[in-house]
Amino acid sequence: MSLLVVGSMAYDDVITPAAEARDALGGSATFFAAAASYFTPVNLVAVVGEDFKHEEIAFLRERGVDLDGLTVEAGKTFRWKGRYLANMNDRETIYTHLNVFEQFDPRLPELYRESEFVFLANISPALQHSVISQVHRPKFVAMDTMNFWITGAPDALRETLKLVDALVVNDSEVRELSGEDNLIIASRLVQQMGPRTLIIKKGEHGALMVHGESYFFCPAFPVARLKDPTGAGDTFAGGLMGYLALSGKVTEENLRRAVVFGTALASFVVEDFSCNRLRSLDRKEILGRVDALRAMTRFEKDSFWPAEE
Amino acid sequence: MSLLVVGSMAYDDVITPAAEARDALGGSATFFAAAASYFTPVNLVAVVGEDFKHEEIAFLRERGVDLDGLTVEAGKTFRWKGRYLANMNDRETIYTHLNVFEQFDPRLPELYRESEFVFLANISPALQHSVISQVHRPKFVAMDTMNFWITGAPDALRETLKLVDALVVNDSEVRELSGEDNLIIASRLVQQMGPRTLIIKKGEHGALMVHGESYFFCPAFPVARLKDPTGAGDTFAGGLMGYLALSGKVTEENLRRAVVFGTALASFVVEDFSCNRLRSLDRKEILGRVDALRAMTRFEKDSFWPAEE
């Protein structure tokens, strides 16, 4: 089924303890669309500047991403520069130049308004709200957010949260949004704000889905050659929403598999800079990691210790 | 089969954001033995002072813990006082009084030397080494350690690591011991030091077992009423080794189940101070959490996306 993503497209300068990348294709919508494209066509809404390269457009188009929603404005594309610390987990931002993204006002092409699956990447809650109101009858709407909006636009965020089916965020954001340290209690509080489903990204610690009353946990795939964590969260969301749109039905079983596919896609993207690893994956590679993730958590009931005493 | 634990018995004063406990029964050997006692009899080697209460002895004896290896020395029992921060994860030690534990020199009663499963709780690597040399032909030896020994007694620790089958530690300790930030690479480096099996405790993020080339991950049980994390790691180890000794055979399947049982026991102990929750559990409760942990990671293969393209 049709999948819409609204977010950023950017050029990143990334410094890791081991290496450095300049003018690397980045942005939440880019990583999301590249990952989701392995499952389903993607309608993309974003804005870039005149400096945006044609080859990037070509790459996404070849991957089945519809770019009618991409506008090119006079000026420069969103630029971010950051440095990762030795643990490859914490990072410091050297600069953020919003450029044309500062005036981003997502307008959906008529066809996009029929999208059944919608992902609102990390943009202002007000813009996320405006996107939701432009879609006619979405089947499943998921959103991301960040501390900047939790503290900077709490009221708008609360309003938008009422309208979504799922929130896809980091554990620290769930704690900040709820004001509660215990993640289990925090999740329930956030569910009461609107989303029935919480998909909590914990980086190397995996992902926890709280769906209604049930919990599902998927560990991170053991990545030995971690090269650049940039975009892992958006790639996770892309694999998740892409799989869900492919399956067409939002059941708990499908949501669980979607979390696993998202985890698998994220495990690839961190093995290289930018979304380079998402340029040439094949289904067998992806399914190989899905199988590995299942094997990592499998255990059988035993006979040593029956419940009857 | 027979299970031996060598470690500390203590009285703890614990302060959490919500409450406070004084003279709470603690110590690594105490939590371990109380948890393991749900699966198998336990041979305990520890030292306490004259102030140690008879009721604690009675509690452990009733749980099937053999205390012939417990010596009572003139002086006071090991005392620790600590405070947990709001996240209930980080804690600060207010004081540590080793008291009689300072002169602890574990001597195994003759019968204990036949123990087949051995757990060396967090004591000095030299003492752990001495215990191993007192056991005739152990089937499976696991040890814990801490940053204090990793930095303070690195050579002795390396010697002891060569003699054990498994190391049960926190992820931060694996990183410090190996000098490597990537946990997957770090695990391989530690395996090269001796233990074929690493069981890495990640607190609320669950537990990762690296066994030879294979990985097993068990999430933490979602605990909403977290009251006191003290002893969670030793309780985890007790459930793990207790189950393993019960099963008798160290296969990967049994190790996996052992990690899950350890996780289940740890999820109970944190719901109250000291080892109070370990005083009156029943098997149905424990198996209920084991089933919940399996349900939390289960997902079925789907038909939407065959490997064949």
Side-chain angles (χ1 to χ4, degrees):
Chain A
M1 290 184 177
S2 52
L3 172 61
L4 167 69
V5 61
V6 181
S8 62
M9 294 181 76
Y11 283 120
D12 298 336
D13 288 351
V14 178
I15 303 169
T16 73
E20 184 167 348
R22 286 161 177 271
D23 303 331
L25 178 60
S28 56
T30 311
F31 284 104
F32 180 97
S37 69
Y38 283 90
F39 303 91
T40 185
V42 181
N43 298 329
L44 181 147
V45 174
V47 61
V48 295
E50 296 153 321
D51 59 340
F52 199 72
K53 302 199 198 76
H54 287 296
E55 62 196 77
E56 324 286 19
I57 307 275
F59 154 59
L60 289 169
R61 200 162 265 142
E62 281 161 24
R63 291 237 32 95
V65 179
D66 184 305
L67 299 168
D68 292 353
L70 176 65
T71 52
V72 182
E73 299 286 346
K76 288 192 160 180
T77 301
F78 185 161
R79 287 191 160 266
W80 174 80
K81 181 170 185 172
R83 177 187 291 109
Y84 288 89
L85 309 186
N87 62 18
M88 286 292 256
N89 199 357
D90 307 314
R91 72 184 186 186
E92 55 189 24
T93 291
I94 296 166
Y95 63 67
T96 303
H97 298 150
L98 294 175
N99 298 329
V100 297
F101 191 66
E102 192 159 12
Q103 302 304 323
F104 184 43
D105 179 18
R107 296 247 167 277
L108 273 54
E110 199 48 43
L111 277 173
Y112 287 21
R113 297 170 185 265
E114 305 304 327
S115 301
E116 288 152 304
F117 289 79
V118 177
F119 185 71
L120 308 162
N122 177 28
I123 55 177
S124 86
L127 291 185
Q128 291 175 318
H129 197 153
S130 132
V131 171
I132 295 171
S133 59
Q134 293 177 59
V135 183
H136 289 146
R137 48 193 96 65
K139 196 164 181 166
F140 186 79
V141 179
M143 66 179 276
D144 188 4
T145 192
M146 73 188 289
N147 304 27
F148 181 78
W149 307 118
I150 293 170
T151 54
D155 300 340
L157 180 57
R158 290 302 187 101
E159 284 310 305
T160 306
L161 277 169
K162 291 178 188 167
L163 307 173
V164 302
D165 301 291
L167 178 67
V168 182
V169 284
N170 302 328
D171 47 354
S172 63
E173 291 158 349
V174 172
R175 291 186 163 102
E176 188 163 6
L177 181 55
S178 62
E180 164 63 43
D181 274 307
N182 179 297
L183 194 62
I184 304 310
I185 298 171
S187 305
R188 291 179 191 156
L189 293 172
V190 173
Q191 282 178 309
Q192 288 163 17
M193 298 176 192
R196 178 176 178 225
T197 305
L198 252 66
I199 295 161
I200 303 169
K201 301 172 287 180
K202 307 209 288 178
E204 66 162 333
H205 301 305
L208 173 69
M209 175 172 73
V210 186
H211 177 65
E213 307 253 294
S214 90
Y215 297 94
F216 174 69
F217 188 87
C218 181
F221 180 84
V223 174
R225 44 196 179 128
L226 173 60
K227 193 165 180 182
D228 175 15
T230 309
D234 297 305
T235 301
F236 170 85
L240 179 127
M241 291 295 287
Y243 177 85
L244 215 50
L246 172 71
S247 74
K249 274 188 52 206
V250 185
T251 62
E252 174 160 2
E253 273 303 316
N254 288 346
L255 280 166
R256 287 178 168 226
R257 284 189 285 261
V259 168
V260 177
F261 274 97
T263 300
L265 269 292
S267 75
F268 285 112
V269 82
V270 299
E271 291 178 340
D272 198 353
F273 281 109
S274 182
C275 48
N276 295 342
R277 283 292 274 133
L278 301 180
R279 291 174 184 270
S280 59
L281 291 173
D282 64 49
R283 295 181 165 196
K284 281 200 169 62
E285 283 181 283
I286 297 170
L287 284 168
R289 293 216 173 164
V290 168
D291 290 340
L293 287 165
R294 186 198 288 94
M296 265 184 77
T297 54
R298 188 193 52 75
F299 66 95
E300 305 305 335
K301 281 210 175 192
D302 70 293
S303 50
F304 302 113
W305 208 52
E308 307 72 42
E309 291 193 87
Chain B
M1 291 183 175
S2 52
L3 173 61
L4 168 70
V5 60
V6 180
S8 63
M9 294 180 77
Y11 283 120
D12 299 334
D13 288 350
V14 179
I15 303 169
T16 73
E20 184 169 349
R22 287 161 175 270
D23 302 332
L25 178 61
S28 56
T30 311
F31 284 104
F32 180 98
S37 70
Y38 283 89
F39 303 90
T40 186
V42 180
N43 298 329
L44 182 147
V45 173
V47 60
V48 295
E50 297 154 318
D51 60 341
F52 198 72
K53 303 199 197 76
H54 288 295
E55 61 197 77
E56 325 285 19
I57 307 275
F59 153 59
L60 289 168
R61 200 161 265 143
E62 281 161 26
R63 291 235 33 95
V65 179
D66 184 304
L67 298 169
D68 291 354
L70 176 65
T71 52
V72 181
E73 299 286 347
K76 287 192 161 178
T77 301
F78 185 161
R79 285 191 162 265
W80 174 80
K81 181 171 185 172
R83 176 187 293 109
Y84 287 90
L85 309 186
N87 62 19
M88 286 293 256
N89 199 356
D90 307 314
R91 71 183 187 187
E92 54 189 24
T93 290
I94 295 166
Y95 62 67
T96 303
H97 298 151
L98 294 175
N99 297 330
V100 296
F101 191 66
E102 191 159 12
Q103 301 304 322
F104 184 43
D105 180 18
R107 296 249 167 274
L108 274 52
E110 200 49 45
L111 277 173
Y112 287 20
R113 296 171 185 264
E114 306 303 327
S115 300
E116 288 153 303
F117 289 79
V118 177
F119 185 71
L120 308 162
N122 176 27
I123 57 177
S124 85
L127 291 186
Q128 292 175 317
H129 197 154
S130 130
V131 171
I132 295 171
S133 60
Q134 294 177 58
V135 183
H136 290 147
R137 50 194 93 66
K139 195 164 182 166
F140 186 79
V141 179
M143 67 179 274
D144 188 3
T145 191
M146 72 188 290
N147 304 28
F148 181 79
W149 308 118
I150 293 170
T151 55
D155 300 340
L157 180 57
R158 291 300 188 101
E159 284 310 305
T160 306
L161 277 169
K162 291 178 186 166
L163 307 174
V164 302
D165 302 290
L167 178 66
V168 183
V169 285
N170 302 329
D171 46 355
S172 64
E173 291 157 350
V174 172
R175 291 186 162 101
E176 187 163 6
L177 181 56
S178 63
E180 164 63 43
D181 274 307
N182 179 297
L183 193 62
I184 304 309
I185 298 171
S187 305
R188 291 180 191 155
L189 293 172
V190 173
Q191 283 178 309
Q192 289 162 17
M193 298 177 191
R196 177 175 178 227
T197 305
L198 252 67
I199 294 162
I200 303 169
K201 300 173 287 180
K202 307 210 287 178
E204 66 163 333
H205 301 305
L208 173 69
M209 174 172 74
V210 186
H211 177 64
E213 307 254 295
S214 91
Y215 297 93
F216 174 68
F217 189 87
C218 181
F221 180 83
V223 175
R225 43 197 180 125
L226 173 59
K227 194 166 180 182
D228 175 16
T230 309
D234 297 306
T235 302
F236 170 85
L240 180 129
M241 292 295 287
Y243 177 85
L244 215 50
L246 172 72
S247 73
K249 269 177 76 191
V250 185
T251 62
E252 174 161 0
E253 272 304 316
N254 288 347
L255 280 165
R256 287 178 168 226
R257 282 189 285 262
V259 168
V260 177
F261 274 98
T263 300
L265 269 291
S267 75
F268 285 112
V269 83
V270 299
E271 291 178 340
D272 199 353
F273 281 109
S274 182
C275 49
N276 294 342
R277 283 291 275 135
L278 301 180
R279 290 174 184 269
S280 58
L281 291 173
D282 65 49
R283 294 181 165 196
K284 280 200 171 60
E285 283 180 285
I286 297 170
L287 284 168
R289 292 214 173 165
V290 168
D291 289 339
L293 287 165
R294 185 197 287 94
M296 265 183 77
T297 54
R298 189 193 53 74
F299 67 95
E300 304 306 334
K301 281 210 176 190
D302 70 294
S303 50
F304 301 114
W305 208 53
E308 307 71 41
E309 290 193 88

